[in-house]
Amino acid sequence: MAGLALCNYGHFTTMLMSQGRVRGLSLHLQRLVRDCRKLLDAELDVDRVRALVRRVDSEVPQTVRVTVYAPQLQLARPGADLDAHVLVTTRPAPGGELPPLRLRSVAHRRDVPDVKHVGLFEAVRQRRLAQRAGFDDALFVDDRSRVLEGTTWNIGFHDGAELVWPSGEQLLGVTMHLVQSLGVVTSVTRELDLRAAAGFPVAFATSAAVGVRPIAALDDTPYDTATGLLDEVCHRYLTLPGDEV
């Protein structure tokens, strides 16, 4: 894993696996194939990925991370041909219902935002700084205060009629896509700045590890977390059967 450890160059996807099934598995695999071509100019063996993930004991829900990297990558010659290697790691799935998030906005745009790459330094640093300041996590905005994404998750809002998603440069998450496809209410995407975000009554975060999590506050703006809509979205998401690995 020298290339991964020393050069921090690679990409990954994170999945929640239970009873050998993953919600949005095909979307996770498509992401891995696409990002492998983009970062390594290499084709990914999807069957090998699935075989490695099947080794995970999924009787108890597990958060599974599939990382793709090139151990032969050299810092002086990153332009050489590279072969894709796969690393599968696990951690326990979050247990129980998590409390709503309290967020701090921060101006930051991830490098290559449409790729779920391993360059997590600034995301982790901003999460740490937010927590040290009394928040739970950070929300990234651009230099014009337009909402982008969370450190490792997407953000959505409800305006009383529709789910509203920011259109800025971000990673379009698998869980975000699945929530949009539930059909509970219509989803729309548009440019949102912090002032617009403060005008919504409801906000929530989406990620594969957690699913749908209410947001209690963004900076000084409170949101309603006791809403039947989020309960319905969470319920419908959790009842998705998932795909067999």
Side-chain angles (χ1 to χ4, degrees):
M1 297 192 300
L4 183 63
L6 299 180
C7 299
N8 200 32
Y9 192 83
H11 63 94
F12 70 100
T13 197
T14 299
M15 309 175 284
L16 184 65
M17 183 174 172
S18 180
Q19 302 297 315
R21 290 183 171 273
V22 172
R23 296 185 190 90
L25 176 63
S26 62
L27 297 175
H28 285 288
L29 295 176
Q30 289 170 22
R31 167 190 282 167
L32 289 173
V33 169
R34 181 191 67 234
D35 291 354
C36 188
R37 290 170 180 164
K38 187 165 186 174
L39 294 190
L40 304 180
D41 294 308
E43 293 299 318
L44 184 65
D45 186 343
V46 172
D47 290 336
R48 173 165 171 74
V49 172
R50 296 180 78 144
L52 291 172
V53 173
R54 279 196 292 269
R55 296 180 184 177
V56 174
D57 179 7
S58 64
E59 291 302 311
V60 176
Q62 298 264 14
T63 301
V64 180
R65 171 170 160 160
V66 179
T67 303
V68 179
Y69 68 105
Q72 72 273 34
L73 186 146
Q74 298 179 20
L75 187 60
R77 294 196 69 248
D81 291 342
L82 299 172
D83 296 322
H85 288 237
V86 178
L87 172 68
V88 176
T89 54
T90 65
R91 65 179 188 270
E97 186 174 338
L98 296 174
L101 287 165
R102 294 165 297 114
L103 305 177
R104 179 170 76 169
S105 64
V106 59
H108 176 65
R109 173 190 173 277
R110 291 190 310 109
D111 292 336
V112 198
D114 61 329
V115 172
K116 194 173 181 70
H117 55 77
V118 299
L120 296 174
F121 174 85
E122 190 61 18
V124 174
R125 189 177 82 93
Q126 291 299 338
R127 176 177 283 171
R128 172 178 166 79
L129 292 175
Q131 291 178 355
R132 299 284 287 182
F135 298 86
D136 298 309
D137 212 335
L139 175 70
F140 296 149
V141 300
D142 67 12
D143 55 5
R144 292 170 52 191
S145 294
R146 292 177 297 188
V147 176
L148 301 176
E149 59 186 336
T151 52
T152 56
W153 40 268
N154 294 106
I155 189 169
F157 302 88
H158 186 243
D159 65 1
E162 298 175 313
L163 297 183
V164 183
W165 307 83
S167 60
E169 294 184 293
Q170 61 181 294
L171 179 70
L172 301 179
V174 169
T175 304
M176 172 183 172
H177 176 85
L178 294 176
V179 168
Q180 290 173 338
S181 69
L182 290 175
V184 177
V185 293
T186 303
S187 282
V188 297
T189 302
R190 63 174 183 258
E191 185 176 294
L192 300 171
D193 61 15
L194 286 174
R195 182 175 179 180
F200 293 112
V202 175
F204 57 95
T206 62
S207 71
V210 174
V212 180
R213 186 173 178 181
I215 292 172
L218 170 56
D219 298 327
D220 296 327
T221 299
Y223 294 103
D224 180 11
T225 60
T227 167
L229 172 83
L230 282 186
D231 291 340
E232 176 66 12
V233 170
C234 290
H235 172 73
R236 291 281 295 276
Y237 174 77
L238 290 174
T239 57
L240 289 175
D243 305 309
E244 187 173 353
V245 177

